[in-house]
Amino acid sequence: IHLVGYSYGAMIALMMAEQLGHIHSVAAISLPWISRYPYHFLGEVRCRKYFITGKQDFAFEAQVYEKAWPRVAEPKRFKWLPCDHFFRRCEKEVAQEVLQFLLNKEGDVEPSGEES
């Protein structure tokens, strides 16, 4: 089972992956990295995770991300795209990124950390 969630739906997908042991991967698109949500549970999400965020996302607080990211369990991957929370004019690129992630049959993801 692969889960793909957008914005708060990304948070729900990650919460489900933490609760259910049989989730293979989660693509979290525009996860709201904001102080109102807890992120401690991400240390228990053991499946493959791909976080895609727009560089102009209004729901991204750098200090929240910087505190939470090191605690996110491996395997994990993060990708910045040059767009906003809604990925206007980047829809095809987001779709292609998610598709490539889902088609990765080996279960490995690229090294953790930020990509440009």
Side-chain angles (χ1 to χ4, degrees), residues 18-86:
E18 189 243 341
Q19 295 294 316
L20 305 172
H22 58 278
I23 303 300
H24 183 72
S25 65
V26 177
I29 304 166
S30 287
L31 179 72
W33 294 95
I34 55 178
S35 58
R36 131 175 46 166
Y37 299 120
Y39 296 94
H40 61 278
F41 75 93
L42 292 176
E44 301 301 319
V45 181
R46 303 288 177 207
C47 67
R48 298 178 333 133
K49 294 164 292 303
Y50 190 20
F51 299 84
I52 304 173
T53 300
K55 288 186 178 184
Q56 292 87 38
D57 193 335
F58 67 84
F60 181 88
E61 294 176 7
Q63 66 274 20
V64 173
Y65 166 79
E66 290 166 3
K67 183 178 178 184
W69 183 254
R71 297 181 183 136
V72 177
E74 296 287 347
K76 61 185 178 181
R77 181 177 175 197
F78 188 95
K79 175 87 174 190
W80 285 108
L81 290 178
C83 44
D84 63 9
H85 184 77
F86 303 104

Coordinates of all heavy atoms in Angstrom, one line a residue, residues 18-86:
E18 N 2.2 5.4 10.5 CA 2.7 5.1 11.8 C 1.9 4.1 12.5 O 2.4 3.2 13.2 CB 2.8 6.4 12.6 CG 3.6 6.3 13.9 CD 2.7 6.5 15.1 OE1 1.6 7.1 15.0 OE2 3.1 6.0 16.2
Q19 N 0.6 4.1 12.3 CA -0.3 3.2 13.0 C -0.4 1.8 12.3 O -0.6 0.8 13.0 CB -1.7 3.8 13.0 CG -1.8 5.1 13.8 CD -1.6 4.8 15.3 OE1 -2.1 3.9 15.9 NE2 -0.8 5.7 15.9
L20 N -0.2 1.8 11.0 CA -0.4 0.5 10.3 C 1.0 0.1 9.8 O 1.7 0.8 9.1 CB -1.3 0.7 9.0 CG -2.7 1.3 9.3 CD1 -3.4 1.6 8.1 CD2 -3.5 0.4 10.2
G21 N 1.4 -1.1 10.1 CA 2.7 -1.6 9.8 C 2.9 -2.0 8.4 O 4.0 -2.3 7.9
H22 N 1.8 -2.1 7.6 CA 1.9 -2.7 6.2 C 2.0 -1.6 5.1 O 1.8 -1.9 4.0 CB 0.8 -3.7 6.0 CG -0.6 -3.1 6.1 ND1 -1.2 -3.0 7.4 CD2 -1.4 -2.6 5.2 CE1 -2.3 -2.4 7.2 NE2 -2.5 -2.2 5.9
I23 N 2.2 -0.4 5.5 CA 2.3 0.7 4.5 C 3.7 0.7 3.9 O 4.7 0.7 4.6 CB 2.0 2.1 5.1 CG1 0.6 2.1 5.7 CG2 2.1 3.2 4.0 CD1 -0.6 1.8 4.8
H24 N 3.8 0.6 2.6 CA 5.1 0.5 1.9 C 5.8 1.9 1.8 O 7.0 2.0 1.9 CB 5.0 -0.1 0.5 CG 6.2 -0.3 -0.2 ND1 7.2 -1.3 0.2 CD2 6.8 0.4 -1.2 CE1 8.2 -1.2 -0.6 NE2 8.0 -0.2 -1.5
S25 N 5.0 2.9 1.5 CA 5.6 4.3 1.3 C 4.5 5.4 1.4 O 3.3 5.1 1.3 CB 6.3 4.4 -0.1 OG 5.3 4.3 -1.1
V26 N 5.0 6.6 1.7 CA 4.2 7.8 1.8 C 4.8 8.9 1.0 O 6.0 9.2 1.2 CB 4.0 8.2 3.2 CG1 3.1 9.5 3.3 CG2 3.3 7.1 4.1
A27 N 4.1 9.5 0.1 CA 4.5 10.7 -0.5 C 3.7 11.9 0.1 O 2.5 11.9 0.1 CB 4.2 10.7 -2.0
A28 N 4.4 12.8 0.8 CA 3.8 13.9 1.5 C 4.0 15.2 0.8 O 5.1 15.7 0.8 CB 4.4 13.9 2.9
I29 N 3.0 15.6 0.1 CA 3.1 16.8 -0.7 C 2.6 18.0 0.1 O 1.5 18.0 0.6 CB 2.3 16.6 -2.0 CG1 2.7 15.4 -2.8 CG2 2.3 17.9 -2.9 CD1 1.8 14.9 -3.8
S30 N 3.4 19.1 0.2 CA 3.0 20.3 0.9 C 2.6 20.0 2.4 O 1.7 20.6 2.9 CB 1.9 21.1 0.2 OG 2.4 21.7 -1.0
L31 N 3.4 19.1 3.0 CA 3.1 18.9 4.4 C 3.2 20.2 5.1 O 4.2 20.9 4.9 CB 4.1 17.9 5.0 CG 4.0 17.6 6.5 CD1 2.7 16.7 6.7 CD2 5.2 16.9 7.0
P32 N 2.3 20.6 6.0 CA 2.4 21.9 6.7 C 3.3 21.8 7.8 O 3.0 21.3 8.9 CB 0.9 22.1 7.1 CG 0.3 20.8 7.2 CD 1.0 19.9 6.2
W33 N 4.6 22.2 7.6 CA 5.6 22.3 8.6 C 5.3 23.5 9.5 O 6.0 24.5 9.3 CB 7.0 22.3 8.0 CG 7.4 21.0 7.3 CD1 7.3 20.8 5.9 CD2 7.9 19.9 7.8 NE1 7.7 19.6 5.6 CE2 8.2 19.0 6.8 CE3 8.3 19.5 9.1 CZ2 8.7 17.7 6.9 CZ3 8.8 18.2 9.3 CH2 9.0 17.3 8.2
I34 N 4.3 23.5 10.3 CA 4.0 24.6 11.1 C 3.8 24.2 12.6 O 3.6 23.0 12.9 CB 2.7 25.3 10.6 CG1 1.5 24.3 10.6 CG2 2.9 25.9 9.3 CD1 0.2 24.9 10.1
S35 N 4.0 25.1 13.5 CA 4.1 24.8 14.9 C 2.8 24.2 15.5 O 2.8 23.7 16.6 CB 4.5 26.0 15.7 OG 3.6 27.1 15.5
R36 N 1.7 24.3 14.8 CA 0.4 23.8 15.4 C 0.3 22.3 15.4 O -0.5 21.7 16.2 CB -0.7 24.5 14.6 CG -1.8 23.6 14.1 CD -3.0 24.2 13.5 NE -2.6 25.2 12.5 CZ -3.4 25.7 11.6 NH1 -4.6 25.4 11.6 NH2 -3.0 26.7 10.8
Y37 N 1.2 21.6 14.7 CA 1.1 20.2 14.6 C 2.3 19.5 15.3 O 3.4 20.0 15.2 CB 1.0 19.7 13.1 CG -0.1 20.2 12.4 CD1 0.0 21.0 11.2 CD2 -1.4 19.9 12.8 CE1 -1.1 21.5 10.5 CE2 -2.5 20.4 12.1 CZ -2.3 21.2 11.0 OH -3.4 21.7 10.3
P38 N 2.0 18.3 15.9 CA 3.1 17.6 16.5 C 3.8 16.7 15.4 O 3.2 16.2 14.5 CB 2.4 16.6 17.5 CG 1.1 16.4 16.8 CD 0.7 17.7 16.1
Y39 N 5.1 16.6 15.5 CA 5.9 15.8 14.5 C 6.7 14.7 15.1 O 7.4 14.0 14.4 CB 6.8 16.7 13.7 CG 6.1 17.7 12.9 CD1 5.8 19.0 13.4 CD2 5.5 17.4 11.7 CE1 5.1 19.9 12.7 CE2 4.8 18.3 10.9 CZ 4.6 19.6 11.5 OH 3.8 20.5 10.8
H40 N 6.5 14.5 16.4 CA 7.3 13.5 17.1 C 7.0 12.1 16.6 O 7.9 11.3 16.6 CB 7.0 13.5 18.6 CG 5.6 13.3 19.0 ND1 4.6 14.3 18.9 CD2 4.9 12.1 19.3 CE1 3.4 13.8 19.2 NE2 3.6 12.5 19.5
F41 N 5.8 11.8 16.1 CA 5.5 10.5 15.6 C 6.3 10.1 14.3 O 6.3 8.9 14.0 CB 4.0 10.4 15.4 CG 3.5 11.1 14.1 CD1 3.4 10.5 12.9 CD2 3.2 12.5 14.2 CE1 3.0 11.1 11.8 CE2 2.8 13.2 13.0 CZ 2.7 12.5 11.8
L42 N 6.8 11.1 13.6 CA 7.6 10.8 12.4 C 8.8 9.9 12.7 O 9.3 9.3 11.7 CB 7.9 12.1 11.7 CG 6.8 12.9 11.1 CD1 7.3 14.2 10.5 CD2 6.0 12.1 10.1
G43 N 9.3 9.9 13.9 CA 10.4 9.0 14.2 C 10.0 7.6 14.2 O 10.8 6.7 14.2
E44 N 8.7 7.3 14.2 CA 8.2 5.9 14.2 C 7.7 5.5 12.9 O 7.2 4.3 12.7 CB 7.1 5.8 15.3 CG 7.5 6.2 16.7 CD 8.7 5.3 17.1 OE1 8.7 4.1 16.9 OE2 9.6 5.8 17.8
V45 N 7.7 6.3 11.9 CA 7.2 6.0 10.5 C 8.3 5.4 9.8 O 9.2 6.1 9.3 CB 6.6 7.2 9.8 CG1 6.1 6.8 8.4 CG2 5.5 7.9 10.6
R46 N 8.4 4.0 9.7 CA 9.5 3.3 9.2 C 9.5 3.1 7.7 O 10.5 2.7 7.1 CB 9.6 2.0 9.9 CG 9.8 2.1 11.4 CD 11.1 2.6 11.7 NE 11.2 2.8 13.2 CZ 11.9 3.7 13.8 NH1 12.7 4.4 13.1 NH2 11.9 3.8 15.1
C47 N 8.3 3.3 7.0 CA 8.3 3.1 5.6 C 9.0 4.2 4.8 O 9.4 5.2 5.4 CB 6.8 3.1 5.1 SG 5.9 4.6 5.3
R48 N 9.2 4.0 3.5 CA 9.8 5.1 2.7 C 8.9 6.3 2.7 O 7.7 6.2 2.6 CB 9.9 4.6 1.2 CG 10.8 3.4 1.1 CD 10.8 2.9 -0.4 NE 9.7 3.2 -1.2 CZ 9.7 3.8 -2.4 NH1 10.8 4.0 -3.0 NH2 8.6 4.0 -3.0
K49 N 9.6 7.5 2.8 CA 8.9 8.7 2.8 C 9.5 9.7 1.9 O 10.7 9.8 1.8 CB 8.9 9.3 4.3 CG 8.2 8.5 5.3 CD 8.5 8.8 6.7 CE 9.9 8.5 7.1 NZ 10.4 7.1 7.0
Y50 N 8.7 10.4 1.1 CA 9.1 11.4 0.2 C 8.3 12.7 0.5 O 7.1 12.7 0.3 CB 8.9 11.0 -1.2 CG 9.6 11.8 -2.3 CD1 10.6 12.7 -2.0 CD2 9.1 11.7 -3.6 CE1 11.2 13.5 -3.0 CE2 9.7 12.5 -4.6 CZ 10.7 13.3 -4.3 OH 11.3 14.1 -5.3
F51 N 9.0 13.7 0.9 CA 8.4 15.0 1.2 C 8.7 16.0 0.1 O 9.9 16.2 -0.3 CB 9.0 15.6 2.5 CG 8.8 14.7 3.7 CD1 9.6 13.6 4.0 CD2 7.7 14.9 4.6 CE1 9.4 12.8 5.1 CE2 7.5 14.1 5.7 CZ 8.3 13.1 5.9
I52 N 7.7 16.6 -0.5 CA 7.8 17.6 -1.6 C 7.2 18.9 -1.1 O 6.0 18.9 -0.7 CB 7.1 17.1 -2.9 CG1 7.7 15.7 -3.3 CG2 7.3 18.1 -4.0 CD1 6.9 15.1 -4.5
T53 N 8.0 19.9 -1.1 CA 7.5 21.2 -0.6 C 7.9 22.3 -1.6 O 9.0 22.3 -2.2 CB 8.2 21.5 0.7 OG1 7.8 20.5 1.7 CG2 7.8 22.9 1.3
G54 N 7.0 23.3 -1.7 CA 7.3 24.5 -2.6 C 8.1 25.5 -1.8 O 7.9 25.7 -0.6
K55 N 9.1 26.1 -2.5 CA 9.9 27.1 -1.9 C 9.2 28.3 -1.4 O 9.7 29.0 -0.5 CB 11.1 27.5 -2.8 CG 12.1 26.4 -3.0 CD 13.3 26.9 -3.8 CE 14.3 25.7 -3.9 NZ 15.5 26.2 -4.6
Q56 N 8.0 28.6 -1.9 CA 7.2 29.7 -1.5 C 5.9 29.2 -0.7 O 4.9 29.9 -0.7 CB 6.8 30.6 -2.7 CG 7.9 31.3 -3.4 CD 8.6 30.5 -4.4 OE1 7.9 29.7 -5.1 NE2 9.9 30.6 -4.5
D57 N 6.0 28.1 -0.1 CA 4.9 27.5 0.7 C 4.6 28.4 1.9 O 5.5 28.5 2.8 CB 5.2 26.1 1.0 CG 3.9 25.3 1.5 OD1 3.0 26.0 2.0 OD2 3.9 24.1 1.4
F58 N 3.4 28.9 2.0 CA 3.0 29.7 3.2 C 2.9 28.8 4.5 O 2.9 29.3 5.6 CB 1.7 30.4 3.0 CG 0.5 29.5 2.8 CD1 -0.2 29.1 3.9 CD2 0.1 29.2 1.5 CE1 -1.3 28.2 3.8 CE2 -1.0 28.4 1.4 CZ -1.7 27.9 2.5
A59 N 2.8 27.5 4.3 CA 2.6 26.6 5.4 C 3.9 25.9 5.8 O 4.0 24.7 6.2 CB 1.5 25.5 5.1
F60 N 5.0 26.6 5.6 CA 6.3 26.1 5.9 C 7.0 27.0 6.8 O 7.3 28.2 6.4 CB 7.2 25.9 4.6 CG 8.5 25.3 4.9 CD1 8.7 23.9 4.9 CD2 9.6 26.1 5.1 CE1 10.0 23.4 5.2 CE2 10.9 25.6 5.3 CZ 11.1 24.3 5.4
E61 N 7.3 26.6 8.0 CA 8.1 27.4 9.0 C 9.5 26.7 9.1 O 9.6 25.6 9.6 CB 7.4 27.4 10.3 CG 6.1 28.2 10.3 CD 5.3 28.2 11.6 OE1 5.9 27.7 12.6 OE2 4.2 28.6 11.6
A62 N 10.5 27.4 8.7 CA 11.8 26.8 8.7 C 12.3 26.2 10.0 O 12.8 25.2 10.1 CB 12.9 27.8 8.2
Q63 N 11.9 27.0 11.1 CA 12.4 26.5 12.4 C 11.7 25.2 12.8 O 12.3 24.4 13.5 CB 12.2 27.6 13.5 CG 10.8 28.0 13.8 CD 10.2 29.1 12.8 OE1 10.7 29.3 11.8 NE2 9.1 29.7 13.3
V64 N 10.4 25.0 12.4 CA 9.7 23.8 12.7 C 10.4 22.6 11.9 O 10.7 21.5 12.5 CB 8.2 23.9 12.4 CG1 7.5 22.5 12.5 CG2 7.6 24.9 13.3
Y65 N 10.6 22.8 10.6 CA 11.2 21.8 9.8 C 12.6 21.5 10.3 O 12.9 20.3 10.5 CB 11.3 22.3 8.3 CG 12.3 21.5 7.5 CD1 11.9 20.3 6.9 CD2 13.6 22.0 7.2 CE1 12.7 19.6 6.2 CE2 14.4 21.2 6.4 CZ 14.0 20.0 5.9 OH 14.8 19.3 5.2
E66 N 13.4 22.5 10.7 CA 14.8 22.2 11.1 C 14.8 21.4 12.4 O 15.7 20.6 12.6 CB 15.5 23.5 11.3 CG 15.9 24.2 10.0 CD 16.3 25.6 10.1 OE1 16.4 26.2 11.2 OE2 16.5 26.3 9.0
K67 N 13.8 21.6 13.2 CA 13.7 20.9 14.5 C 13.2 19.4 14.3 O 13.7 18.5 14.9 CB 12.8 21.6 15.5 CG 12.7 20.9 16.8 CD 11.9 21.7 17.8 CE 11.7 21.0 19.1 NZ 10.8 21.7 20.0
A68 N 12.3 19.3 13.4 CA 11.6 18.0 13.2 C 12.4 17.1 12.2 O 12.4 15.9 12.5 CB 10.2 18.2 12.7
W69 N 13.0 17.6 11.2 CA 13.6 16.8 10.2 C 14.6 15.8 10.7 O 14.6 14.6 10.3 CB 14.2 17.6 9.1 CG 14.8 16.8 7.9 CD1 16.1 16.5 7.7 CD2 14.0 16.1 7.0 NE1 16.2 15.7 6.6 CE2 14.9 15.4 6.1 CE3 12.6 15.9 6.7 CZ2 14.5 14.6 5.1 CZ3 12.2 15.1 5.7 CH2 13.2 14.4 4.9
P70 N 15.5 16.1 11.5 CA 16.5 15.1 12.0 C 15.9 13.9 12.8 O 16.4 12.9 12.8 CB 17.4 15.9 13.0 CG 17.2 17.3 12.6 CD 15.8 17.5 12.1
R71 N 14.7 14.1 13.3 CA 14.0 13.1 14.0 C 13.1 12.2 13.1 O 12.6 11.2 13.6 CB 13.1 13.7 15.1 CG 13.9 14.5 16.1 CD 13.0 15.1 17.2 NE 13.8 15.8 18.1 CZ 13.5 17.0 18.5 NH1 12.4 17.6 18.2 NH2 14.3 17.7 19.4
V72 N 13.0 12.5 11.8 CA 12.2 11.7 10.9 C 13.0 10.5 10.6 O 14.1 10.5 10.2 CB 11.9 12.5 9.6 CG1 11.1 11.6 8.6 CG2 11.1 13.8 9.9
A73 N 12.3 9.3 10.8 CA 13.0 8.0 10.6 C 13.4 7.8 9.1 O 12.7 8.3 8.2 CB 12.1 6.9 11.1
E74 N 14.5 7.2 8.9 CA 14.9 6.7 7.6 C 14.0 5.6 7.2 O 13.5 4.8 8.0 CB 16.4 6.3 7.6 CG 17.3 7.4 8.0 CD 17.5 8.5 6.8 OE1 17.1 8.2 5.7 OE2 18.1 9.5 7.1
P75 N 13.9 5.3 5.9 CA 14.3 6.1 4.8 C 13.5 7.3 4.5 O 12.2 7.3 4.7 CB 14.3 5.1 3.6 CG 13.2 4.2 4.0 CD 13.2 4.1 5.5
K76 N 14.1 8.4 4.1 CA 13.4 9.7 3.9 C 14.1 10.4 2.8 O 15.3 10.3 2.6 CB 13.3 10.5 5.2 CG 14.7 10.9 5.7 CD 14.6 11.6 7.0 CE 15.9 12.0 7.6 NZ 15.9 12.7 8.8
R77 N 13.3 11.3 2.2 CA 13.8 12.1 1.1 C 13.0 13.4 1.1 O 11.8 13.4 1.4 CB 13.6 11.4 -0.3 CG 14.2 12.2 -1.4 CD 14.0 11.3 -2.7 NE 14.4 12.1 -3.8 CZ 14.2 11.8 -5.1 NH1 13.5 10.7 -5.3 NH2 14.5 12.5 -6.0
F78 N 13.7 14.5 0.8 CA 13.0 15.8 0.8 C 13.3 16.5 -0.6 O 14.5 16.5 -1.0 CB 13.5 16.7 1.9 CG 12.8 18.0 2.1 CD1 11.7 18.1 3.0 CD2 13.1 19.1 1.4 CE1 11.0 19.3 3.2 CE2 12.4 20.3 1.5 CZ 11.4 20.4 2.4
K79 N 12.4 17.1 -1.2 CA 12.6 17.8 -2.4 C 11.9 19.2 -2.4 O 10.7 19.3 -2.0 CB 11.9 17.0 -3.6 CG 12.0 17.6 -4.9 CD 13.2 17.3 -5.6 CE 13.2 17.8 -7.1 NZ 14.3 17.4 -7.8
W80 N 12.7 20.2 -2.7 CA 12.1 21.6 -2.9 C 11.7 21.8 -4.4 O 12.5 21.4 -5.3 CB 13.2 22.6 -2.6 CG 13.5 22.9 -1.2 CD1 14.7 22.5 -0.6 CD2 12.7 23.5 -0.2 NE1 14.7 22.9 0.7 CE2 13.5 23.5 1.0 CE3 11.5 24.2 -0.3 CZ2 13.0 24.1 2.1 CZ3 11.0 24.7 0.9 CH2 11.8 24.7 2.1
L81 N 10.6 22.4 -4.6 CA 10.3 22.8 -6.0 C 10.0 24.3 -6.0 O 9.6 24.8 -5.0 CB 9.0 22.0 -6.5 CG 9.2 20.5 -6.7 CD1 7.9 19.9 -7.2 CD2 10.3 20.3 -7.8
P82 N 10.3 25.0 -7.1 CA 10.1 26.4 -7.2 C 8.7 26.9 -7.3 O 8.3 27.4 -8.4 CB 11.0 26.8 -8.4 CG 10.9 25.6 -9.3 CD 10.8 24.4 -8.3
C83 N 7.9 26.7 -6.3 CA 6.5 27.0 -6.4 C 5.9 27.3 -5.0 O 6.6 27.3 -4.1 CB 5.7 26.0 -7.2 SG 6.1 24.3 -6.7
D84 N 4.6 27.5 -5.0 CA 3.9 27.7 -3.7 C 3.2 26.5 -3.2 O 3.5 25.4 -3.6 CB 2.9 28.9 -3.9 CG 1.7 28.5 -4.9 OD1 1.6 27.3 -5.3 OD2 1.0 29.4 -5.2
H85 N 2.4 26.6 -2.2 CA 1.7 25.5 -1.5 C 0.9 24.7 -2.4 O 0.7 23.5 -2.3 CB 0.9 26.1 -0.3 CG 0.2 25.1 0.5 ND1 0.9 24.3 1.4 CD2 -1.1 24.6 0.5 CE1 0.0 23.5 2.0 NE2 -1.1 23.7 1.5
F86 N 0.4 25.4 -3.4 CA -0.6 24.7 -4.4 C 0.1 24.2 -5.6 O -0.5 23.7 -6.5 CB -1.7 25.7 -4.7 CG -2.4 26.2 -3.5 CD1 -2.2 27.5 -3.0 CD2 -3.3 25.4 -2.8 CE1 -2.9 27.9 -1.9 CE2 -4.0 25.8 -1.7 CZ -3.7 27.1 -1.2

